[in-house]
Amino acid sequence: MAGLMADFGNFTHAVVRAIPDSFAKEDPRRKKTAEVDLAKAQREHELYIEVLRHQLGLRVLELPADENLPDCAFVEDAAVVCGDTALITRPGSDIRRKETEAVKMVLKEMNLNIVEIDDQSATLDGGDVLFTGREFFVGLSERTNQRGAEILADTFKDYAVSVVPVQNGRHLKSFCSMGGPDLIIIGSSEQAQRALKIMKQMSDHRYDKLTVPDDTAANCIYVHLPDKGHVLLHCTPEEFPESAKVFERLKDYVLIPVSNAEKVKVDGALTCCSVLIHKKV
Amino acid sequence: MTTEVASETEVKKEPEKADEQPVAAQQQDGEEEPEQLAAVQDGVTPRAASPHADRKSKEAKGLSRFLPPWLKRQKSLSRTEPSEDREDKTPTEEQQEAPPSEEASPQEAERDESHSIGSADTQPAKEEKGEGSPERIGDGKEEEDLLESKAGEKDEGKLLKLEAEVEKSSLKPAKKMKTVTCQVTLLDGSLLPCELEKRVRGIVLFAKVCEHLNLLEKDYFGLCYKDHADQKCWLDPAKEIKRQIRNCPWQFAFSVKFYPPDPSQLTEDITRYLLCLQLRQDIASGRLPCSFVTHSLLGSYTLQAEMGDHDPDGHCLDYISDFQFAPSQSKEMEEKVVELYKTHRGMSPAQADAQFLENAKKLSMYGVDLHHAKDSEGVDIMLGVCANGLLIYKDRLRINRFAWPKILKISYKRSNFYIKIRPGEAEQFESSVGFKLPNHRAAKRLWKVCVEHHTFFRLVTPEQPPKARFLTLGSKFRYSGRTQAQTREASTLIDRPAPHFERCSSKRLSRSLDGAPGLGMDDQSGAPGQGLTPGAKNGRDPALELSSDSKDLDKTQEDVLKHQASISELKRNFMESTPEPQPSQWEKRLTASPATSLRLRAQAAFEEEVPSSSVLSSPVAVPTGLPAACTTSVSAAEGDIAVGSPPAAAHVVEKALPRADGSSYSGSDAGKTAEDKQKSDTLEQAEVEIEETVVIKEVRKAPKVEVTVPEVVVTIAVTEKEPEEKTGAEAEGRGDEGVTQRGSTSSDSHSESEDEAEYRPQAPGESIDHIKEVPEEEEELAVEAQPLEAEPAAAPPCPTTEEQESPLKDEAQNGHPEMQSPQGSVEEDEEDEGEPKLNGDASRAETEGLPQVICCSEPPVVKTEMVTISDTFAAQKTEISTTEVPIVHTETKTITYEAAQVDGAGDGEPGVLMTAQTITSESLCTTTTTHITKTLKGGVSETRIEKRIVISGDSDIDHDQALARAIKEAKEQHPDMSVTRVVVHKETEVMEEGKD
């Protein structure tokens, strides 16, 4: 109980889930921007997990894939964990609802306080939840509705929960993420900038921002490690050369480029593929 | 006023006198005196306020024999009225004695509050002194010193005075005075009975409680009571308790009013302890939501603070359930609390409290004062007022936030609450956002809370509810206490050993009440209907009377004249109530919000202006001359009246003014004079560069008349002004500025005027957090009501009536909910027709006077004026600036005249932002927004004034003429300044959108 807002970016565990073979299958209900190479995607995912495990030193809990749940690897959408409390979401896409079950089980085993959404009218995707260490921003999107946001607010009463409209079928974190305790990494698109403006207005706190040319590149994973300090997992120069350069401006950071080219094709950003947890032992 | 200043210094010199002086100062306040006297007199003998003042010196001499030596000293100082307190002595003697003390305090009473309190209190104090209560006196001195050191500001002085009074009163209630026993629920749940003289001001009780608690950092706290509707209300220290609680029981709760964002900056542990107690209540009651873990953590610190180290042998779990850590706590939580409690071993109670606060302060709802409301679409939301601004919640979600710097104006009208938002970078117009509160009382309560929070957290010094504001349309209420900056500064001077205090157990039994003991509200006023009947109101309160008066006003000018109450009555009325006629269309307003806001502003501006003008011009009543009406209330009333009058002056106005105000006088002349004076003041100040930007937009807006009775008058004025939209606009702008400065700082509106009130946060929104309002500004503010004969006051009559009615209503509302309904109807009508009219009226009046008045609070070192005139022709009714709903503009022309000039004091210039104010005044046809920015560059302070004048009206307007007039006025107003730029923006609306 270090109290509120302490230890932002400190994580001990990560929950991930393997990519099923159905990952590359066509499904009109899924968003797909290009043909996915399943083998590549799985390889990417393995590397991603390796980074979490070895470079970040996290204890990785890997869930088996479920062929019936093609997007199950994107565990972020299934749960929002803050402190000792885990809110099991109710994803906006009905084909993904069952993804939460396995995630809930593993979180329960970690002795987190599990909160579930009973309200059948509520939808909430973890990808729409941006926790800054001080407060929450929730994207009201195709996947997350007002009721879902309210439940998030009820679950994490200590924090302000502000809503940010997100259009075009994206998640809030499709174009932004935290790059440090007070740093918001934001994309350059009009939508991203609009969302940033709203977030700035809604917050009592003044955040620094780091603007990257590509929205997708704005989705990074920030971790604070006792031995390494600030660590940022971000896109590779191959994917987004311009954006990758921007991260080099972050001094005192350990920058770890992580390839995510295949998963992005199904709207899977870096943060989507893990749930990070700070669990004191 | 001047005397006040002198008095302060005197006080300093003579510590002994200081105690007395404060009182005297209070008395000195012309306005206050009458009231105080009256109050005091109740117990003793009634006197004529004015005579007292005159007598003071004389009496003092005669009475000197009776007076103790220190009193005698004071006599010389004291100018004003005698206090009646001394029972022992003959009335004359008493008067004399009291006066000296009161008078002695030159600080004067800048504030009304002090008056009443002072009078009553003063005597007791004297007695005590005589008896020998040196300690208290000493305390009083100290306090005064602190205040003085801080800022020598009037407010402080007032406070000091008030405090002094309090002390005195606390010492002994006057024997003759009628006393009441009230109960104050303290934060630890205990009850503190207090014997109070019936007429004392809130500060007396507050001081007693603080003394009992041994609390020095008292500015974060306040007393609250529950009104008839069971709503928690803050007791205004500056006003008589009796008038505030009306028929409610004398039960109060001592509570935290301003939650310090960083409790670690508090100086004393006892202050932190009290804050902890408040937060424990907040948490237990659910007002401060926490997660399970936080509940547990905070609970563990509570245990550590109250129980000391965990005793392994003890049986914590046996008693732990007696503590309430959360609204509902489970065994699991209690176990968690104990688990954490164990880890705090060795922590002192003070440390535990500090840790408690460090965690509590991070909670998102810490220090957020929530108010139920509906948005423009009728959706239930919550408005949260906090140190940083206004938060909008829907359910638990934050859906919007308006930081203080973003807010140009805060106003309420009837049950509607409006905020005017500073235009964004790319936006040309301010936008207004409106919310619907359950009733006008709620709206007013929210407004007051906003005004207080803004002042406390955002300003360096409180805005004074300037006496000059006599004419205030709406509530003159302002935060009268110290700001956070001041209290912090004062705290640094605290030099005493940490006071010992007992931490009582916060076990459930003791905790009970949040703060406010359930007060029975049986009373009367609860009935909404009452508002309508003036008589009943009158009987109750002066305010009621006012309302009745206002009603009259609404009816017709003639009626108004008939109704004109004595000045004193008016004063009372004004103080308490502000009539607001236009109610219902808040939504429209919202959409049209800009217009609305403008109107509001205009009104406010008018009010302010009027007062000044009235004062200046009319020797009659008002501020200047009025000895008797020293009290704020009086002044306020006068001001209101004056306001009304100025409009009248404009045209019909003149006639009307006299009628309505009675005291007001010839509005136009007075107004002019006032303006002149103001101008002069402004000029005098000039060290600063002033840039004036006048944006004149011509738009047809239906002004809504809001405001209290005084406002009504104003409204009328506005109507008159309408014809002279342009000028009016400028004038308004000026007036607004003045108003804003004055008002904004202090958040002027009278609390009393329930219906409407505006507050323009001077804040340094953009610039610096703390904006200091310049007293000067107030003076400057005084806008003259130049008679705009030229202007066709088409609407005037209507507005007046409407307005008048509204005021009545408002007043009624204040006291009586019933009023609202009628008002609502009236308002609606008015809004449709009247609003525009009203605005127009106001604008007219303002225009005439205002333009001239445009004041720069500070004398411009570099003289630069920017005049931007944009004219938008809108259909008659179309309201231009609406946040959301844009009017259809067919044509848009922008003409910019720019003078190359200038000192480096451009906008972009670097420098230290000293203050930034935005004043907006609205009239039917004209909306003037004045932005005053003061920056300190290289030791030279620059004042830049940007005025945006929006003229709305039929296409009849001659833009060129309007522009010429605006520029001319601007130059006239600020002779020392130069016009840097003039931008004319014309928008012609082809279609008239159905406004309503």
Side-chain angles (χ1 to χ4, degrees):
Chain A
M1 269 316 306
L4 303 177
M5 300 174 203
D7 310 328
F8 180 72
N10 288 356
F11 299 107
T12 56
H13 295 68
V15 174
V16 298
R17 196 166 191 180
I19 293 178
D21 293 343
S22 59
F23 184 76
K25 287 184 179 173
E26 288 296 332
D27 187 330
R29 293 171 296 182
R30 296 177 62 199
K31 299 187 178 175
K32 219 168 168 186
T33 56
E35 208 53 42
V36 176
D37 184 323
L38 176 63
K40 260 188 174 181
Q42 288 176 333
R43 178 58 189 157
E44 255 178 24
H45 198 51
E46 288 170 12
L47 289 174
Y48 175 87
I49 293 169
E50 284 304 300
V51 169
L52 296 180
R53 179 174 287 138
H54 294 114
Q55 300 207 46
L56 300 185
L58 303 179
R59 184 170 172 199
V60 176
L61 308 174
E62 185 170 2
L63 298 171
D66 185 333
E67 291 301 326
N68 293 322
L69 300 171
D71 285 332
C72 68
F74 303 140
V75 291
E76 175 187 52
D77 289 325
V80 177
V81 179
C82 179
D84 293 336
T85 301
L87 173 63
I88 307 304
T89 65
R90 187 167 183 279
S93 170
D94 52 4
I95 62 168
R96 299 190 59 192
R97 296 269 160 79
K98 288 187 180 301
E99 291 180 20
T100 61
E101 292 176 359
V103 174
K104 183 178 76 177
M105 292 305 297
V106 69
L107 294 177
K108 220 168 190 172
E109 289 175 6
M110 294 182 68
N111 280 324
L112 295 178
N113 304 314
I114 304 294
V115 178
E116 296 184 76
I117 296 177
D118 296 326
D119 191 329
Q120 297 303 302
S121 69
T123 61
L124 178 68
D125 270 18
D128 279 319
V129 179
L130 178 67
F131 179 62
T132 70
R134 301 172 181 276
E135 61 192 316
F136 284 96
F137 292 105
V138 185
L140 293 183
S141 66
E142 291 180 7
R143 306 297 179 83
T144 300
N145 62 20
Q146 180 92 9
R147 186 67 193 121
E150 288 171 10
I151 291 171
L152 179 80
D154 285 337
T155 304
F156 302 103
K157 291 191 175 77
D158 292 350
Y159 301 97
V161 177
S162 303
V163 296
V164 181
V166 176
Q167 286 89 25
N168 303 330
R170 307 169 80 185
H171 281 134
L172 176 62
K173 282 195 279 191
S174 296
F175 48 75
C176 69
S177 65
M178 295 304 293
D182 292 319
L183 178 64
I184 294 177
I185 300 174
I186 189 77
S188 298
S189 70
E190 184 183 341
Q191 179 178 21
Q193 292 299 316
R194 205 185 314 130
L196 177 66
K197 189 177 178 184
I198 292 171
M199 289 190 282
K200 279 186 169 182
Q201 172 165 342
M202 300 279 245
S203 176
D204 290 328
H205 184 70
R206 287 182 164 274
Y207 295 97
D208 296 325
K209 67 167 180 177
L210 181 68
T211 305
V212 296
D214 307 288
D215 277 5
T216 302
N219 182 290
C220 305
I221 294 176
Y222 168 80
V223 177
H224 184 268
L225 297 177
D227 54 338
K228 294 182 180 177
H230 303 295
V231 179
L232 193 70
L233 275 57
H234 62 84
C235 63
T236 60
E238 289 73 26
E239 293 172 79
F240 302 104
E242 294 304 317
S243 294
K245 289 179 187 171
V246 175
F247 295 114
E248 294 173 5
R249 280 194 245 147
L250 294 173
K251 303 302 178 188
D252 305 328
Y253 271 66
V254 175
L255 300 174
I256 304 176
V258 177
S259 175
N260 201 40
E262 291 304 315
K263 287 185 285 189
V264 160
K265 292 176 181 175
V266 285
D267 203 24
L270 284 177
T271 60
C272 292
C273 305
S274 61
V275 173
L276 303 181
I277 299 160
H278 180 59
K279 181 68 182 175
K280 298 164 193 168
V281 179
Chain B
M1 308 297 284
T2 55
T3 54
E4 294 177 354
V5 176
S7 63
E8 291 177 354
T9 56
E10 292 176 358
V11 173
K12 295 177 180 177
K13 295 175 181 178
E14 299 175 358
E16 295 176 355
K17 294 177 180 178
D19 296 346
E20 297 174 354
Q21 290 177 345
V23 174
Q26 296 171 349
Q27 293 175 348
Q28 290 177 348
D29 297 330
E31 300 171 352
E32 295 175 356
E33 292 176 359
E35 294 178 354
Q36 294 175 348
L37 293 175
V40 174
Q41 291 172 355
D42 294 352
V44 185
T45 56
R47 307 166 185 174
S50 62
H52 294 296
D54 296 347
R55 295 174 185 174
K56 293 178 182 177
S57 60
K58 297 177 181 178
E59 292 177 356
K61 295 175 182 177
L63 297 178
S64 61
R65 50 182 173 180
F66 297 93
L67 303 176
W70 54 273
L71 287 177
K72 293 177 182 179
R73 297 176 189 173
Q74 294 177 347
K75 292 177 181 178
S76 62
L77 297 176
S78 67
R79 301 167 184 174
T80 1
E81 308 155 346
S83 62
E84 301 168 353
D85 301 354
R86 297 182 181 177
E87 299 171 355
D88 298 349
K89 301 175 183 180
T90 60
T92 56
E93 293 176 355
E94 292 177 355
Q95 292 175 350
Q96 293 173 348
E97 294 175 356
S101 63
E102 296 175 353
E103 293 173 356
S105 60
Q107 297 166 349
E108 311 187 22
E110 303 165 351
R111 323 290 153 112
D112 304 345
E113 306 169 352
S114 55
H115 310 298
S116 62
I117 299 171
S119 63
D121 297 347
T122 306
Q123 294 175 351
K126 294 176 181 178
E127 293 177 359
E128 293 176 357
K129 294 176 180 176
E131 296 174 359
S133 55
E135 297 176 352
R136 294 180 180 177
I137 295 171
D139 294 352
K141 294 176 181 178
E142 293 176 356
E143 291 177 352
E144 292 176 354
D145 294 344
L146 292 176
L147 295 175
E148 294 175 356
S149 63
K150 292 177 182 177
E153 293 177 356
K154 297 174 182 179
D155 294 346
E156 293 176 355
K158 293 178 181 179
L159 294 176
L160 295 175
K161 297 173 183 179
L162 293 176
E163 292 176 355
E165 292 176 356
V166 173
E167 293 175 356
K168 296 175 182 178
S169 66
S170 63
L171 295 177
K172 292 183 179 179
K175 298 174 184 177
K176 294 180 181 178
M177 308 304 290
K178 293 178 183 177
T179 59
V180 165
T181 300
C182 60
Q183 286 199 320
V184 179
T185 305
L186 302 179
L187 286 167
D188 61 5
S190 64
L191 290 177
L192 173 67
C194 281
E195 190 82 1
L196 284 181
E197 191 271 309
K198 261 193 168 179
R199 293 278 191 162
V200 297
R201 295 173 188 260
I203 193 168
V204 174
L205 177 59
F206 182 68
K208 278 191 177 187
V209 175
C210 291
E211 183 186 20
H212 172 80
L213 294 170
N214 200 12
L215 174 66
L216 290 185
E217 293 177 287
K218 59 182 91 166
D219 302 290
Y220 300 96
F221 301 85
L223 291 172
C224 51
Y225 63 95
K226 288 195 174 176
D227 66 10
H228 302 296
D230 203 32
Q231 295 297 312
K232 190 177 92 169
C233 302
W234 289 103
L235 190 67
D236 187 339
K239 293 182 185 171
E240 287 183 23
I241 295 172
K242 188 181 173 189
R243 288 193 177 187
Q244 299 180 63
I245 63 171
R246 307 196 179 218
N247 293 332
C248 297
W250 287 64
Q251 294 179 9
F252 305 92
F254 180 79
S255 308
V256 174
K257 189 172 189 179
F258 304 111
Y259 290 75
D262 186 1
S264 66
Q265 290 194 31
L266 295 174
T267 299
E268 297 197 302
D269 288 338
I270 190 172
T271 314
R272 269 185 287 273
Y273 168 65
L274 293 173
L275 178 56
C276 283
L277 291 179
Q278 176 70 65
L279 289 167
R280 283 166 196 156
Q281 285 182 8
D282 293 345
I283 291 168
S285 67
R287 262 178 301 168
L288 181 56
C290 304
S291 65
F292 173 89
V293 174
T294 302
H295 274 135
S296 304
L297 179 65
L298 296 177
S300 68
Y301 287 124
T302 298
L303 283 183
Q304 182 69 25
E306 296 182 356
M307 308 297 293
D309 287 346
H310 177 257
D311 179 1
D313 299 331
H315 306 282
C316 283
L317 291 176
D318 294 343
Y319 59 76
I320 195 171
S321 55
D322 292 337
F323 287 83
Q324 189 172 5
F325 304 112
S328 60
Q329 67 194 43
S330 59
K331 204 69 191 171
E332 181 186 7
M333 180 180 291
E334 291 175 359
E335 290 170 357
K336 182 73 175 177
V337 168
V338 173
E339 173 190 332
L340 293 167
Y341 174 29
K342 293 175 183 173
T343 68
H344 302 326
R345 172 168 294 281
M347 196 178 281
S348 72
Q351 288 173 324
D353 280 347
Q355 284 302 310
F356 179 95
L357 295 175
E358 281 306 296
N359 285 278
K361 77 175 185 185
K362 295 174 184 171
L363 294 169
S364 74
M365 298 306 288
Y366 170 84
V368 178
D369 186 18
L370 288 177
H371 298 255
H372 287 280
K374 290 181 188 294
D375 67 10
S376 59
E377 295 175 348
V379 176
D380 287 323
I381 57 172
M382 298 286 280
L383 300 181
V385 183
C386 66
N388 294 323
L390 192 59
L391 303 169
I392 317 297
Y393 294 92
K394 182 176 183 305
D395 295 309
R396 280 268 174 71
L397 298 175
R398 186 183 290 183
I399 58 174
N400 213 336
R401 170 179 173 273
F402 301 101
W404 293 128
K406 290 276 290 180
I407 298 177
L408 293 174
K409 190 176 77 173
I410 307 166
S411 60
Y412 74 96
K413 186 175 180 178
R414 296 194 140 207
S415 60
N416 301 314
F417 175 80
Y418 305 94
I419 55 176
K420 190 153 202 169
I421 309 302
R422 186 182 300 276
E425 299 169 355
E427 301 164 359
Q428 185 174 4
F429 301 102
E430 299 94 353
S431 58
S432 290
V433 181
F435 304 94
K436 183 82 172 175
L437 278 286
N439 53 58
H440 85 276
R441 285 177 160 277
K444 179 179 179 180
R445 200 161 46 236
L446 170 60
W447 177 80
K448 289 175 77 170
V449 168
C450 285
V451 167
E452 291 177 329
H453 274 72
H454 173 267
T455 305
F456 185 81
F457 289 110
R458 187 88 180 137
L459 300 181
V460 171
T461 63
E463 298 179 359
Q464 300 174 355
K467 300 174 182 178
R469 296 179 186 173
F470 308 84
L471 304 181
T472 308
L473 299 176
S475 168
K476 288 183 179 179
F477 170 80
R478 316 157 203 166
Y479 173 63
S480 59
R482 298 173 183 164
T483 63
Q484 180 174 241
Q486 289 175 328
T487 195
R488 281 181 179 170
E489 187 175 346
S491 296
T492 61
L493 300 178
I494 292 176
D495 183 17
R496 68 172 182 182
H500 174 74
F501 57 93
E502 296 282 341
R503 281 182 168 80
C504 68
S505 170
S506 60
K507 291 180 182 178
R508 287 181 182 176
L509 294 180
S510 57
R511 278 195 184 171
S512 60
L513 308 179
D514 287 5
L519 301 179
M521 324 239 341
D522 340 310
D523 313 352
Q524 13 149 330
S525 52
Q530 294 177 347
L532 296 177
T533 57
K537 297 176 181 177
N538 293 344
R540 296 177 184 174
D541 299 339
L544 295 177
E545 295 175 356
L546 294 175
S547 62
S548 63
D549 294 349
S550 61
K551 293 177 180 177
D552 295 345
L553 293 175
D554 292 347
K555 296 175 182 176
T556 56
Q557 295 175 347
E558 294 178 356
D559 292 347
V560 174
L561 294 175
K562 295 176 182 178
H563 292 283
Q564 293 175 346
S566 62
I567 295 171
S568 62
E569 291 179 358
L570 292 174
K571 294 174 181 177
R572 295 177 188 171
N573 294 333
F574 288 104
M575 297 187 68
E576 292 178 353
S577 64
T578 308
E580 300 173 355
Q582 316 145 345
S584 56
Q585 296 176 343
W586 64 280
E587 292 179 357
K588 296 178 180 178
R589 295 177 182 175
L590 295 178
T591 47
S593 55
T596 314
S597 61
L598 294 176
R599 297 172 184 175
L600 296 176
R601 298 174 184 173
Q603 293 176 347
F606 291 121
E607 295 175 358
E608 293 175 356
E609 294 175 356
V610 174
S612 62
S613 64
S614 64
V615 173
L616 296 175
S617 62
S618 61
V620 179
V622 201
T624 36
L626 316 177
C630 296
T631 27
T632 23
S633 62
V634 173
S635 62
E638 294 176 355
D640 293 344
I641 295 170
V643 174
S645 60
H651 292 296
V652 178
V653 181
E654 295 174 352
K655 297 176 182 178
L657 294 175
R659 303 168 185 172
D661 301 342
S663 60
S664 302
Y665 344 56
S666 59
S668 62
D669 294 350
K672 294 177 179 178
T673 55
E675 292 178 352
D676 296 349
K677 294 176 180 178
Q678 294 175 347
K679 293 176 179 177
S680 62
D681 295 348
T682 329
L683 297 175
E684 294 175 358
Q685 296 173 349
E687 294 169 355
V688 182
E689 300 176 357
I690 300 175
E691 294 183 2
E692 295 182 356
T693 301
V694 179
V695 179
I696 301 176
K697 300 175 183 178
E698 296 179 357
V699 180
R700 262 293 153 160
K701 299 176 182 178
K704 300 173 183 178
V705 177
E706 313 160 349
V707 184
T708 50
V709 175
E711 293 179 0
V712 174
V713 177
V714 174
T715 336
I716 296 169
V718 175
T719 358
E720 295 174 356
K721 292 179 179 179
E722 288 180 353
E724 301 174 355
E725 296 173 350
K726 300 174 182 177
T727 47
E730 293 174 354
E732 292 177 355
R734 299 172 184 174
D736 292 347
E737 293 175 353
V739 174
T740 48
Q741 294 171 348
R742 300 172 184 173
S744 58
T745 5
S746 56
S747 60
D748 326 3
S749 18
H750 304 271
S751 51
E752 299 163 354
S753 61
E754 294 174 354
D755 294 351
E756 298 178 356
E758 297 179 356
Y759 172 80
R760 297 160 193 172
Q762 299 170 342
E766 300 171 353
S767 50
I768 300 173
D769 296 346
H770 307 277
I771 296 173
K772 299 178 181 178
E773 294 179 356
V774 179
E776 296 174 352
E777 293 176 355
E778 295 175 354
E779 295 176 354
E780 295 175 356
L781 292 179
V783 176
E784 334 147 343
Q786 300 173 347
L788 300 179
E789 296 175 355
E791 297 176 354
C798 300
T800 54
T801 49
E802 293 175 353
E803 293 174 353
Q804 293 172 349
E805 293 176 357
S806 62
L808 295 175
K809 296 175 181 179
D810 293 345
E811 293 176 355
Q813 292 175 349
N814 296 341
H816 315 274
E818 295 176 353
M819 298 299 295
Q820 297 176 347
S821 61
Q823 293 178 348
S825 62
V826 174
E827 291 177 355
E828 292 177 354
D829 296 348
E830 292 176 358
E831 290 177 353
D832 296 347
E833 300 173 357
E835 292 177 355
K837 296 176 182 180
L838 295 176
N839 293 341
D841 293 348
S843 61
R844 295 174 184 174
E846 292 177 354
T847 334
E848 295 174 358
L850 296 177
Q852 299 174 350
V853 180
I854 302 175
C855 342
C856 317
S857 44
E858 300 174 358
V861 174
V862 178
K863 301 172 183 178
T864 303
E865 294 182 0
M866 295 185 62
V867 178
T868 302
I869 302 175
S870 16
D871 296 348
T872 302
F873 290 99
Q876 297 174 345
K877 294 179 180 179
T878 52
E879 296 175 357
I880 293 172
S881 53
T882 304
T883 353
E884 302 173 355
V885 180
I887 299 171
V888 178
H889 303 282
T890 343
E891 264 185 36
T892 301
K893 294 182 182 178
T894 302
I895 303 171
T896 304
Y897 309 84
E898 198 151 356
Q901 283 202 349
V902 190
D903 340 342
D907 295 348
E909 296 178 358
V912 177
L913 176 57
M914 299 172 66
T915 63
Q917 298 177 347
T918 300
I919 301 171
T920 304
S921 57
E922 296 178 356
S923 61
L924 293 176
C925 302
T926 309
T927 300
T928 303
T929 303
T930 304
H931 297 273
I932 300 175
T933 306
K934 296 178 183 179
T935 50
L936 182 60
K937 298 178 181 179
V940 178
S941 62
E942 296 179 354
T943 300
R944 275 189 10 214
I945 299 177
E946 290 187 13
K947 291 192 177 186
R948 176 180 296 170
I949 300 175
V950 178
I951 299 178
S952 29
D954 298 356
S955 52
D956 299 340
I957 300 171
D958 180 331
H959 300 273
D960 295 334
Q961 191 175 12
L963 174 60
R965 188 185 300 168
I967 296 173
K968 181 180 179 183
E969 288 177 358
K971 289 181 178 178
E972 288 177 356
Q973 292 177 356
H974 307 283
D976 296 346
M977 300 192 279
S978 56
V979 177
T980 312
R981 195 173 66 167
V982 179
V983 178
V984 180
H985 184 76
K986 293 184 182 182
E987 292 182 347
T988 305
E989 294 179 355
V990 176
M991 294 301 295
E992 295 180 2
E993 295 290 326
K995 298 174 182 178
D996 303 341

